[in-house]
Amino acid sequence: MSCDLRNMAGNVSAPIIAPIMSISHPRAVWGLLLFCRHLAFPSSMEEEDRKEKADHIKLLFCGGGDCIVPVPQSEMKALLSFYQAVNDLCSRQVGRGTRFLQLGPRGSPSDSEISPSFGLLFDIDGVLVRGKTPIPAAKRAFQKLINLQGQFVAPIVFVTNAGNCLRQTKADQLSHLLGVRITQDQVLMSHSPLRMFRKYHEKCVLVSGQGPVLDIAKNLGFQKVVSIDMLREAFPLLDMVDHSRRPKLPVSSEIKSSCRAASSSIVNLPNIEAVILFGEPIRWETNLQLIIDVLLTNGNLSSPHQTLKVPHIPLLACNMDLIWMAEAQSPRFGHGTFLVCLENIYKKITGKDLKYEALMGKPGELTYHYAEHLIREQAARRDWKRPVHSLYAVGDNLMTDIYGANMYNRYLEERTAHKRSQAVAKVWGGIGSSTALPHEDNVDGAWENMLAAPSATSCKSILVCTGVYNPHMEVPPSAGHSIRETVFHGHRDLCFDPSLVEPNYVVQDVDAAVELIFEKEKFKIQ
């Protein structure tokens, strides 16, 4: 056992130290030092906080297959015994103000925390995990991103286009897969910006997707929510594609009347006032049929389709990914593919384009506004004084992660240039002049009023090769000639710019991306 660990042992009674005196494996010793550093509990710490901290350390180096600090099986039993003994001791002594010496990386008292001036935006699928399997490089990367207190060394937001669960659920999944503690405040789902669409929160909305869609909608602030299954129950004659789910025909007038009475008493659905698409549903044919029905009846499914002379009821869609990467060797259909089906069916029936009130998720600019908002909140909670000037977005998909990061970077550059031009105009207008300058143009968009102005001046895109992007895929010889037909997978309403598909950096995996960011920022963990 190391000299530092023996010195530390002086703070703990002999019966506790005895089980671990034989431990010699370097990673195990490092884990013990890490553990003891984490046990520097202040006397004012509440019992619940102390327990949470101790449990987190157990996850860090006693987490079995997902542990950050793997140790030999022969030494695991001693480690666990040591953990339990120290944990019990702390439970008895914390009320009396007892604390362990807080050791730095080399046994000295720790230095003040470094204040970073950058933030990290991580995609999840294809960057950190493939389906439910962690990518090995992700665990190596996150060893570099946490300090000896188990805290992140820079503000981090996990930006995913997934929309089939609550933020807390996704945070718990990531914590388990990566072996680090992640909170819901660090997770940005494709539907997260819907919190800002307050004008729809009191309207009756139809939601489509999978998972706990009703809970998701209510968590976002929507109060009157109807699911596709609720529509099927209320109107059983509308879902006819699957023969096994059709009602028995012929349906007598008595049965129809009975169905209407039952639906009225069970559901009593009001007219639908807006439609929200969270993500790809399980039964596409059912969702496509009923959503089209809602749009063509102006939200009243008791009436037949109408020839609408005004735009259909508002439609809001989250997650525009045409494809995404799971465990399979090739990409799988995403919600963007479902949207392509919906758009084309609507146009084929009506001769008109389907209109969206809003499109959320990458590569939409609103998503990056919201992500930076979360980055600033994290920095404020950690009391980091330096403003976040640089964002780094790490992703595997050219058409969502890279395109979106580059588009937001262009926005930040234009915003900075606009501010500079205003400063020049103010100088030319004369220092101390009583003549007021014209009101500033709304260059920053409506959302900046709700999220505050960004502090970042750049958003650099980093492409990894562990997901959708295939570095060996043949690239068309002339981008202007064929990129729309063979490469561009963006949404129909996205104004395509080939220059936004070019990443700032291409690296092998997320571990290499973290190394690159630290190098560019000249950032070293003390």
Side-chain angles (χ1 to χ4, degrees):
M1 192 167 66
S2 71
C3 179
D4 285 336
L5 187 57
R6 289 182 183 277
N7 292 336
M8 176 275 297
N11 296 281
V12 190
S13 61
I16 295 178
I17 289 298
I20 61 164
M21 293 302 292
S22 61
I23 292 178
S24 60
H25 190 277
R27 287 177 180 256
V29 172
W30 184 90
L32 289 169
L33 286 170
L34 173 64
F35 178 68
C36 293
R37 180 183 173 89
H38 275 282
L39 290 177
F41 300 135
S43 58
S44 60
M45 180 175 285
E46 297 291 339
E47 175 68 16
E48 183 177 346
D49 294 335
R50 182 203 61 74
K51 184 178 185 302
E52 179 183 358
K53 193 172 185 180
D55 287 345
H56 179 46
I57 307 311
K58 184 178 180 182
L59 171 67
L60 284 178
F61 74 103
C62 299
D66 292 329
C67 65
I68 283 183
V69 188
V71 298
Q73 289 294 325
S74 60
E75 300 187 359
M76 179 61 74
K77 184 176 180 180
L79 283 171
L80 290 173
S81 298
F82 176 70
Y83 164 81
Q84 187 61 52
V86 174
N87 195 43
D88 292 342
L89 177 66
C90 289
S91 297
R92 296 193 301 270
Q93 298 292 337
V94 70
R96 290 185 250 166
T98 302
R99 69 186 73 186
F100 290 100
L101 176 66
Q102 183 169 342
L103 300 177
R106 296 183 180 179
S108 59
S110 62
D111 298 321
S112 59
E113 192 175 23
I114 302 172
S115 180
S117 62
F118 62 95
L120 308 180
L121 309 179
F122 286 112
D123 180 36
I124 297 177
D125 294 302
V127 175
L128 306 178
V129 301
R130 294 276 293 267
K132 296 182 179 180
T133 305
I135 294 173
K139 290 192 175 184
R140 297 196 301 271
F142 278 84
Q143 289 181 36
K144 299 177 175 71
L145 288 170
I146 59 171
N147 61 20
L148 292 177
Q149 286 78 33
Q151 297 174 314
F152 286 106
V153 298
I156 291 174
V157 171
F158 300 88
V159 186
T160 175
N161 270 352
N164 60 350
C165 66
L166 297 166
R167 286 199 301 165
Q168 184 61 59
T169 303
K170 181 61 69 174
D172 292 342
Q173 292 172 356
L174 288 172
S175 297
H176 173 72
L177 291 171
L178 299 177
V180 295
R181 183 173 180 269
I182 296 167
T183 67
Q184 67 170 355
D185 296 327
Q186 293 176 283
V187 176
L188 176 56
M189 312 288 288
S190 62
H191 51 61
S192 296
L194 282 170
R195 293 178 183 277
M196 298 185 293
F197 287 78
R198 297 190 182 98
K199 68 178 181 178
Y200 295 108
H201 286 180
E202 294 184 3
K203 295 182 181 294
C204 180
V205 298
L206 171 68
V207 293
S208 169
Q210 57 181 290
V213 290
L214 297 179
D215 292 336
I216 293 170
K218 291 174 181 177
N219 183 264
L220 292 167
F222 296 94
Q223 299 174 24
K224 304 173 185 177
V225 188
V226 177
S227 68
I228 293 292
D229 286 339
M230 291 166 67
L231 282 190
R232 280 194 68 252
E233 183 180 358
F235 302 95
L237 297 178
L238 298 184
D239 183 21
M240 302 293 285
V241 173
D242 186 343
H243 290 215
S244 66
R245 303 215 302 178
R246 291 181 179 181
K248 302 301 181 182
L249 297 177
V251 180
S252 66
S253 59
E254 291 83 3
I255 294 177
K256 288 183 180 180
S257 176
S258 175
C259 286
R260 282 195 295 268
S263 299
S264 175
S265 61
I266 296 173
V267 184
N268 194 22
L269 295 178
N271 284 2
I272 304 298
E273 299 174 276
V275 178
I276 299 176
L277 310 178
F278 283 138
E280 62 270 26
I282 296 175
R283 284 184 169 269
W284 286 30
E285 77 284 355
T286 298
N287 284 259
L288 289 168
Q289 177 69 75
L290 295 184
I291 292 169
I292 291 290
D293 287 337
V294 167
L295 296 176
L296 295 183
T297 61
N298 205 32
N300 180 12
L301 288 180
S302 298
S303 63
H305 289 185
Q306 307 167 15
T307 302
L308 301 176
K309 297 181 181 180
V310 294
H312 54 71
I313 63 175
L315 178 65
L316 299 88
C318 312
N319 183 0
M320 296 169 273
D321 282 354
L322 187 77
I323 53 177
W324 66 289
M325 203 69 186
E327 290 94 342
Q329 295 182 357
S330 300
R332 304 291 87 194
F333 289 156
H335 191 219
T337 307
F338 179 82
L339 298 181
V340 169
C341 297
L342 183 64
E343 292 156 8
N344 282 278
I345 293 171
Y346 184 85
K347 185 162 188 176
K348 194 71 173 178
I349 292 175
T350 66
K352 300 176 182 178
D353 285 332
L354 187 69
K355 302 293 185 183
Y356 293 94
E357 181 76 7
L359 288 165
M360 280 152 287
K362 298 176 291 186
E365 192 176 285
L366 174 58
T367 293
Y368 290 86
H369 270 292
Y370 203 84
E372 188 186 4
H373 168 70
L374 296 179
I375 287 284
R376 291 197 306 270
E377 283 190 336
Q378 279 185 54
R381 283 196 299 270
R382 294 287 296 275
D383 200 27
W384 284 324
K385 303 300 184 184
R386 299 173 66 189
V388 175
H389 289 309
S390 303
L391 297 176
Y392 293 89
V394 184
D396 69 310
N397 193 324
L398 286 170
M399 299 304 160
T400 54
D401 305 312
I402 304 306
Y403 199 98
N406 289 343
M407 188 159 58
Y408 191 61
N409 183 68
R410 176 178 290 180
Y411 157 78
L412 293 174
E413 290 178 343
E414 290 175 351
R415 183 179 183 279
T416 301
H418 180 74
K419 289 174 67 177
R420 287 173 181 167
S421 67
Q422 282 211 317
V424 171
K426 193 174 292 185
V427 171
W428 281 101
I431 304 287
S433 171
S434 60
T435 304
L437 290 171
H439 183 69
E440 180 175 347
D441 295 332
N442 189 23
V443 174
D444 299 328
W447 302 116
E448 194 168 287
N449 294 330
M450 301 181 68
L451 299 177
S455 63
T457 56
S458 69
C459 181
K460 301 301 182 185
S461 57
I462 303 178
L463 179 67
V464 298
C465 305
T466 51
V468 170
Y469 174 68
N470 182 356
H472 306 295
M473 186 179 296
E474 184 178 353
V475 177
S478 172
H481 172 70
S482 59
I483 194 166
R484 283 182 181 272
E485 290 75 18
T486 61
V487 177
F488 184 53
H489 294 160
H491 187 264
R492 177 201 68 184
D493 295 349
L494 191 65
C495 183
F496 179 64
D497 183 342
S499 67
L500 297 180
V501 182
E502 294 295 327
N504 293 113
Y505 308 100
V506 181
V507 295
Q508 181 58 40
D509 52 41
V510 66
D511 186 38
V514 170
E515 292 277 8
L516 174 68
I517 294 166
F518 283 0
E519 177 185 343
K520 294 296 179 183
E521 293 293 321
K522 298 180 173 57
F523 186 78
K524 294 182 179 179
I525 305 175
Q526 293 183 346

